Amino acid sequence: MFHFPKICIIALFSFILLCSCSSKRNPVVLRFGVSSAPSSLDPAETEDFVASKILANMFDTLVNYERGKFFKRSALAESLRVNSEGTIWTFYLRRGITFHDGTSFNAEAVKISFDRQMNPETDFYLTEKNVYGGSTLSMIERIDILDEFTVRFQLHYPYAPFYHTLANCFGASIISPSALRKFGPEFGKHPVGTGPFRLASWKEGKSITLVAHETYWGGPPKIDRVEFVIVPQSIDRVEKMLDGSLDIIEDVGATLIDKLYLKQDVELIYSEDLGVHVLGFNCQQKPFNDPRVRKAVALAFDKEKFVHTMLRGKGLVASSPLPPALGTFSSLSEQLPYDPVAAQKLLAQAGYTRGFSVDLWCYCISERAGVLPLAIKKNLKKIDIQVNIKYYEDWDEYNRGVMRGEASLFVDGWRGNIVDPDGFLYPIFHSRARKSGGNLFHYSNASFDQLLEEARRTMNEPTRMMLYDEALRIIVSDLPCLFISFSKETFALRSCIEGFSVNPLGIVRLNNVEYVPL
């Protein structure tokens, strides 16, 4: 889950390292405007959306997807073999690969990268911020080194989406053992991988600069340097795009698309991703420990109007946790109607005839996060629920408070960490995920948990689909959160840029990006 960072060139005529589409020479720098600054670049302890765009360019995984798609392909593992029970996965590693610090890539690096998240007896075990060890990687029993370039994963049980787990840049990226030993708990500030780019500089709150890893096993990148520039507000990113300060920007606000649409030197890229946006309830805290109150709020919020008028095409109305981009398993549930009258009746049944007042927590760095709380406040006022919006600019402060149960109502969102229903359900809603911090709703349902357990251990796809359909009926009925919208991320880039692609996980690999004269 993901609840998603110098070469100094002196040229004869003060050559500016920006995109100049009329130049015959390919510029060497790409400036990418992003919305927030990651707190860490350790792929095992961060789940930040922006961090994924940086991590995917610094690290590799054992397996991966074709560029911009979900077709499987090899990566650091040249090939793999799975036993008939689906419990033993053997990977045969590529040879001759080095990390950015010169360390050789081998089976030891693979084992260390995972053991530090799973085995408390291992050196450098992540005692804090261990985001994936207790949930996403919990199916791994042990990892054995068969020889220098062969590694075997023994699973506790068959796990159908294990391939997708190992293709995720969060938790499954392979790190340099030498760098881990050198920097220890500070590895997140000094990340070292095998990816197409390496860290050059990190200016806190301002920018993260990567330079090309010239000996990258997949071939050297086509650009020399990528600078991820931190620009929190969407309007500011658009303005910097227009004045030439940035070459690519993420998360173009719905109301700002028109400013770029008619610009001949700017191209808009729409990506239907795996993001889900919700209104979260603390299911253990009054008044939202009563399912009638949760349903009343759901009936009182006009999702259709919000998505179509406020998001202006940047989203799809959601009725479940599984976005359409997921494919086969995305069976949509029936939408609850917009019905404030029925909502007030439910509140009365729950003992709130005069409504109540509640604080709404919101981490506000994007246009969507800004307009959604206001829409919630306006809609709930119609059923006498007075909403007091509490905005947070510090993600860690916001997230810690919600995890501790201090917020009874909060705006939340995530991208699935694997391309499978398991990645959208188990780490977010399973009762066990309350300990890992993924289940912010403090939701628990034994029947739902059991269905998830069975589905992740079943290798038969039709059977899995039936189990997930039943699980979806439970989660939609229990409403630990109101599913509002599925994401459509909008990028803007200069028309002279080619090779840019993003897959529905939001992963952007920049090693194939290049500038071409128009």
Side-chain angles (χ1 to χ4, degrees):
M1 173 191 72
F2 29 148
H3 274 300
F4 322 178
K6 159 175 172 210
I7 293 176
C8 195
I9 294 186
I10 303 175
L12 184 59
F13 297 101
S14 299
F15 178 72
I16 299 175
L17 298 179
L18 292 172
C19 175
S20 176
C21 301
S22 60
S23 173
K24 293 183 179 180
R25 174 185 173 185
N26 286 351
V28 296
V29 66
L30 178 77
R31 290 198 169 104
F32 196 142
V34 294
S35 59
S36 63
S39 58
S40 170
L41 286 177
D42 185 338
E45 67 176 19
T46 185
E47 52 187 343
D48 181 84
F49 294 166
V50 171
S52 70
K53 296 178 175 65
I54 303 170
L55 294 175
N57 287 286
M58 298 180 62
F59 294 92
D60 287 310
T61 49
L62 291 176
V63 293
N64 212 325
Y65 306 110
E66 290 293 339
R67 189 159 59 98
K69 302 176 182 178
F70 285 146
F71 299 137
K72 299 175 182 178
R73 71 168 176 82
S74 60
L76 291 178
E78 200 165 36
S79 61
L80 67 94
R81 180 182 298 169
V82 186
N83 71 343
S84 57
E85 291 80 17
T87 56
I88 298 177
W89 294 60
T90 305
F91 293 86
Y92 303 91
L93 309 180
R94 293 183 188 274
R95 299 166 185 258
I97 295 176
T98 58
F99 288 93
H100 302 151
D101 60 1
T103 303
S104 296
F105 164 72
N106 54 25
E108 180 202 15
V110 175
K111 182 174 173 61
I112 287 175
S113 296
F114 288 94
D115 273 356
R116 66 190 287 253
Q117 303 176 70
M118 300 160 18
N119 186 354
E121 298 180 1
T122 302
D123 291 341
F124 309 112
Y125 176 70
L126 289 168
T127 54
E128 297 181 9
K129 296 184 179 180
N130 192 348
V131 180
Y132 306 99
S135 56
T136 305
L137 304 176
S138 61
M139 77 295 298
I140 301 174
E141 179 181 350
R142 69 176 188 272
I143 300 173
D144 300 317
I145 296 176
L146 303 187
D147 61 43
E148 188 176 5
F149 295 102
T150 310
V151 63
R152 181 175 64 198
F153 286 71
Q154 173 74 54
L155 307 188
H156 287 290
Y157 47 81
Y159 181 60
F162 190 56
Y163 181 99
H164 299 298
T165 297
L166 297 184
N168 181 21
C169 69
F170 291 121
S173 288
I174 308 303
I175 69 172
S176 165
S178 299
L180 182 62
R181 294 186 182 103
K182 179 178 180 180
F183 298 109
E186 293 299 311
F187 178 83
K189 296 296 183 182
H190 308 276
V192 179
T194 60
F197 295 91
R198 60 180 175 83
L199 181 66
S201 66
W202 188 342
K203 298 178 182 178
E204 289 286 348
K206 295 182 178 181
S207 66
I208 294 173
T209 301
L210 310 182
V211 295
H213 180 33
E214 294 295 345
T215 59
Y216 181 54
W217 61 271
K222 297 179 180 179
I223 51 177
D224 292 326
R225 188 173 72 176
V226 181
E227 183 178 353
F228 291 91
V229 183
I230 316 303
V231 186
Q233 299 302 321
S234 183
I235 180 63
D236 294 333
R237 291 194 297 278
V238 169
E239 291 300 330
K240 288 180 178 296
M241 185 77 183
L242 292 173
D243 69 18
S245 301
L246 296 173
D247 303 314
I248 300 177
I249 59 174
E250 66 163 359
D251 195 20
V252 179
T255 59
L256 299 171
I257 290 176
D258 290 345
K259 292 178 71 71
L260 298 170
Y261 185 74
L262 296 178
K263 302 297 278 187
Q264 291 186 352
D265 62 340
V266 174
E267 181 181 358
L268 293 171
I269 303 291
Y270 300 91
S271 172
E272 184 178 304
D273 64 25
L274 297 177
V276 184
H277 298 271
V278 305
L279 173 62
F281 307 113
N282 185 332
C283 297
Q284 300 296 319
Q285 188 179 103
K286 287 186 177 182
F288 300 111
N289 61 337
D290 190 329
R292 293 172 296 184
V293 177
R294 300 198 296 267
K295 187 173 182 180
V297 170
L299 290 168
F301 187 76
D302 192 346
K303 289 192 291 186
E304 295 272 355
K305 182 177 180 181
F306 173 76
V307 171
H308 295 308
T309 61
M310 301 304 295
L311 299 187
R312 299 178 63 184
K314 282 199 63 181
L316 300 171
V317 177
S319 60
S320 84
L322 303 185
L326 198 61
T328 307
F329 288 99
S330 301
S331 43
L332 294 177
S333 306
E334 183 179 348
Q335 290 280 5
L336 278 174
Y338 170 60
D339 192 341
V341 175
Q344 284 190 310
K345 290 180 180 178
L346 279 174
L347 283 183
Q349 292 174 15
Y352 298 97
T353 54
R354 296 184 179 180
F356 55 85
S357 178
V358 63
D359 287 340
L360 171 64
W361 286 38
C362 172
Y363 174 58
C364 187
I365 60 163
S366 68
E367 182 185 45
R368 185 193 304 265
V371 299
L372 180 54
L374 296 176
I376 292 169
K377 180 183 178 79
K378 181 178 179 180
N379 278 257
L380 297 193
K381 186 177 181 180
K382 297 175 184 177
I383 59 170
D384 299 322
I385 296 178
Q386 304 302 316
V387 174
N388 309 306
I389 304 174
K390 294 182 66 174
Y391 291 105
Y392 289 81
E393 294 184 357
D394 186 315
W395 166 253
D396 289 334
E397 180 186 3
Y398 167 85
N399 196 48
R400 281 195 302 267
V402 176
M403 285 175 60
R404 289 194 295 257
E406 297 172 10
S408 57
L409 190 67
F410 53 96
V411 173
D412 192 28
W414 62 86
R415 283 182 175 89
N417 54 8
I418 61 172
V419 191
D420 188 273
D422 187 73
F424 291 80
L425 298 175
Y426 194 95
I428 308 294
F429 298 107
H430 194 287
S431 58
R432 193 174 296 162
R434 293 168 64 180
K435 293 182 179 179
S436 66
N439 185 346
L440 300 178
F441 318 104
H442 302 274
Y443 169 70
S444 179
N445 183 308
S447 298
F448 177 78
D449 286 354
Q450 182 60 36
L451 287 166
L452 296 192
E453 296 285 356
E454 291 181 23
R456 67 188 341 220
R457 302 182 187 204
T458 301
M459 304 300 284
N460 182 277
E461 291 297 287
T463 301
R464 295 187 77 223
M465 186 179 296
M466 289 189 293
L467 291 168
Y468 281 126
D469 280 344
E470 189 173 347
L472 283 177
R473 284 194 289 271
I474 292 175
I475 201 76
V476 169
S477 174
D478 286 352
L479 278 175
C481 59
L482 171 60
F483 304 105
I484 295 175
S485 66
F486 298 124
S487 298
K488 278 187 177 181
E489 187 165 8
T490 305
F491 294 86
L493 57 150
R494 303 213 171 278
S495 300
C496 57
I497 294 175
E498 287 191 356
F500 177 85
S501 67
V502 54
N503 71 23
L505 277 176
I507 301 301
V508 176
R509 291 276 280 193
L510 299 171
N511 51 310
N512 288 307
V513 168
E514 62 181 323
Y515 295 109
V516 296
L518 294 179

